[in-house]
Amino acid sequence: MTVTTRFAPSPTGRLHVGNIRTALHNWMWAKKHGGRFLLRIDDTDAERSAEANVTAIRDDLAWLGLGWDGEARQSERFALYEERFAVLKAAGRVYPAYETAQELDLKRKVLLGRGLPPVYDRGALKLSDAERTAFDAEGRQPHWRFRLDHDTLIVWQDLIRGEQRFDPKLLSDPVIRRADGSWLYMLPSAIDDVEMGITHVVRGEDHVSNTAAQLQMFAALGAEAPQFAHEALLTGSEGKLSKRLGSLGVDHFREVGIEPVTLIAKLARIGTSDPVEAVTDPQPLIDSFDFAHFGRAPARFDEAELAQLNARIVHQLDYAVVADRLPAGMDEAAWVAVRPNLETVVQAADWWAVVEGPIAASDIGDEDRTYLVEAARAAAQIDWSADPWHALTGALKETTGRKGKPLFLPLRRALTGRDHGPDMAALLPLIGRDRALARLAAAA
Ligand code: GLU
């Protein structure tokens, strides 16, 4: 059995951080087991689905590095659903229902008013042939429900939530098809999970009661059900399900300089008993990925923490990973020199501008001017081929008697125009002799 997972977004919008997390966990589980990760576009709802969203979903997954091994689109599989529907209908597992939305709403309100769970009363199953014919004659189009088997308790071992039990009598027979013939999510999804050989379904816990009904659909289709892992939902930093999370997608993260691997490192681990770690490669996360480590409490997604994690990851990124995003001419030595001072890769350009100049005039106090004249003289004499910063500061220490901040800070200011920044020992060789001499002379 090849472990096969799927990510099944409805293309009604862009992916948000919650969807990205679901996609990631499905991908990781497949990778961990040398299995397959499939992309399924759940676009049965033609009106709400948009092609631009499908393209964006693919782009977002590609940016994240979550490659998929196959793709399916529900809108191309209607013939299959029709076929399975006919089988279920012949077996009496789907049935037409004629209630209008208002009638259903009224039934619900009556039950709730009596303090009862608002479970559909199966009124449609009690219709006589004559009543049904009369509805048809009236031109009422039925919608279709899946008839749950009330005699079998629904039980499954959820990989995250443990044993789950549902009494089917307390569930409404789910509507699977609208009066206009269009499909709701539940049945096509179960049919596809069977046809695509899905072994594990990883999704949010908002789907738990769907799973109860879908387990009966798998049985009615004569198929073995996949295993399920329902994860606790994400909350914002304030601990509540936040609107903002629903609008945070790849575009936003890219714009603020978050690396794909940062998102992966964060989303792989929040809500689990494993610590979030600053990794530059998802492999160790895949190796240790385990549903048993997931908690039942909502996972807290904090953007400030994400930014800090990003900085720690950027500090370790190899030149090859970032080279195509660096300014022209910025080589490996320059990257390694500035990397520890960055929060995002884009900021490397600021330091490259400092290396190349021109730099902003720095405010040098009068007490430092003669010191810088001396520095310019020393800089002209030192050996620039090995370690010019230590050669320069060593020489100046001797000739001026300065040490510590008075020794270093005026040099940093004169050479970079700033008070803080990357290690001068790494920066000075990049600035080079000619520019350094000119900057020291200009500042003096
Ligand atoms: N299209 C469904 C959704 O986006 C898929 C749920 C599932 O993974 O089965 O909620």
Side-chain angles (χ1 to χ4, degrees):
M1 180 192 77
T2 311
V3 166
T4 307
T5 62
R6 86 303 195 270
F7 173 51
S10 304
T12 53
R14 296 291 300 259
L15 298 184
H16 55 71
V17 59
N19 308 132
I20 293 171
R21 176 166 170 256
T22 304
L24 173 67
H25 293 164
N26 278 288
W27 178 82
M28 290 175 83
W29 189 249
K31 289 287 151 216
K32 176 173 173 132
H33 297 281
R36 286 159 50 79
F37 168 68
L38 306 177
L39 173 62
R40 190 182 78 208
I41 304 295
D42 281 4
D43 56 352
T44 55
D45 189 339
E47 231 157 76
R48 294 180 57 230
S49 300
E51 202 51 39
N53 292 329
V54 177
T55 308
I57 287 168
R58 290 197 197 105
D59 290 350
D60 289 353
L61 291 177
W63 181 76
L64 288 158
L66 307 184
W68 55 104
D69 305 302
E71 184 174 329
R73 287 186 76 139
Q74 292 198 318
S75 58
E76 291 165 0
R77 298 163 69 84
F78 291 142
L80 171 69
Y81 309 149
E82 207 65 70
E83 214 175 275
R84 296 291 183 276
F85 178 77
V87 173
L88 294 176
K89 192 172 149 195
R93 292 306 298 270
V94 297
Y95 61 92
Y98 295 83
E99 293 94 340
T100 62
Q102 291 88 323
E103 284 166 344
L104 290 171
D105 201 41
L106 188 63
K107 286 188 191 201
R108 250 193 310 268
K109 283 192 179 132
V110 169
L111 289 170
L112 288 171
R114 291 196 209 136
L116 295 169
V119 178
Y120 176 58
D121 64 3
R122 292 189 157 177
L125 279 178
K126 290 163 202 146
L127 291 177
S128 66
D129 285 348
E131 286 169 315
R132 218 172 283 127
T133 317
F135 280 142
D136 287 340
E138 249 176 59
R140 273 217 207 183
Q141 291 292 327
H143 54 275
W144 295 83
R145 288 186 186 260
F146 177 79
R147 186 171 61 75
L148 292 168
D149 170 6
H150 277 186
D151 300 329
T152 319
L153 194 68
I154 302 166
V155 184
W156 81 92
Q157 281 298 330
D158 194 275
L159 294 173
I160 293 174
R161 297 164 62 87
E163 184 175 278
Q164 302 291 294
R165 304 171 82 89
F166 278 82
D167 179 351
K169 292 193 200 70
L170 299 179
L171 299 173
S172 295
D173 287 340
V175 176
I176 51 161
R177 205 169 181 181
R178 298 185 190 87
D180 65 3
S182 64
W183 299 96
L184 280 107
Y185 146 77
M186 290 246 253
L187 183 63
S189 178
I191 293 172
D192 284 338
D193 286 342
V194 174
E195 292 300 312
M196 295 165 74
I198 302 303
T199 60
H200 295 81
V201 171
V202 184
R203 58 190 184 186
E205 66 181 12
D206 49 330
H207 281 288
V208 167
S209 62
N210 289 340
T211 298
Q214 284 179 319
L215 284 172
Q216 289 213 347
M217 293 180 187
F218 288 111
L221 293 164
E224 205 180 309
Q227 287 197 269
F228 285 87
H230 291 95
E231 14 189 54
L233 301 181
L234 281 187
T235 63
S237 46
E238 62 303 330
K240 285 193 236 115
L241 278 175
S242 83
K243 267 229 172 82
R244 174 154 177 81
L245 287 187
S247 63
L248 284 185
V250 162
D251 274 358
H252 166 78
F253 294 122
R254 277 182 93 141
E255 201 179 300
V256 298
I258 299 295
E259 298 296 308
V261 72
T262 306
L263 263 183
I264 289 176
K266 182 82 175 166
L267 293 175
R269 290 282 178 84
I270 50 169
T272 77
S273 54
D274 300 317
V276 173
E277 287 170 309
V279 294
T280 57
D281 184 304
Q283 195 57 47
L285 304 172
I286 294 169
D287 295 338
S288 60
F289 187 71
D290 190 339
F291 290 119
H293 298 176
F294 279 69
R296 296 279 301 266
R300 222 174 110 267
F301 182 83
D302 184 324
E303 275 194 271
E305 286 172 12
L306 186 75
Q308 285 164 15
L309 178 67
N310 195 60
R312 285 162 56 211
I313 288 175
V314 167
H315 299 166
Q316 305 168 56
L317 289 179
D318 284 339
Y319 176 65
V321 176
V322 298
D324 61 348
R325 289 185 279 157
L326 299 179
M330 190 168 177
D331 61 8
E332 183 161 8
W335 169 249
V336 172
V338 307
R339 182 172 71 168
N341 286 73
L342 307 180
E343 282 156 4
T344 63
V345 173
V346 201
Q347 292 172 348
D350 301 343
W351 288 112
W352 187 241
V354 166
V355 167
E356 291 210 300
I359 56 164
S362 51
D363 58 279
I364 301 289
D366 285 341
E367 71 283 6
D368 287 327
R369 295 202 185 274
T370 37
Y371 171 61
L372 289 175
V373 171
E374 175 60 18
R377 199 192 54 77
Q381 280 165 15
I382 56 164
D383 173 9
W384 278 81
S385 65
D387 183 355
W389 176 250
H390 286 107
L392 177 64
T393 52
L396 287 171
K397 201 175 192 173
E398 236 159 70
T399 54
T400 67
R402 289 193 182 213
K403 53 186 179 192
K405 202 167 159 189
L407 176 70
F408 301 121
L409 188 59
L411 295 176
R412 180 181 283 282
R413 280 189 177 153
L415 290 165
T416 70
R418 303 189 187 192
D419 285 3
H420 305 280
D423 182 5
M424 285 303 297
L427 215 49
L428 190 53
L430 301 170
I431 294 169
R433 185 177 192 276
D434 293 350
R435 282 187 294 226
L437 292 183
R439 288 177 193 184
L440 289 169

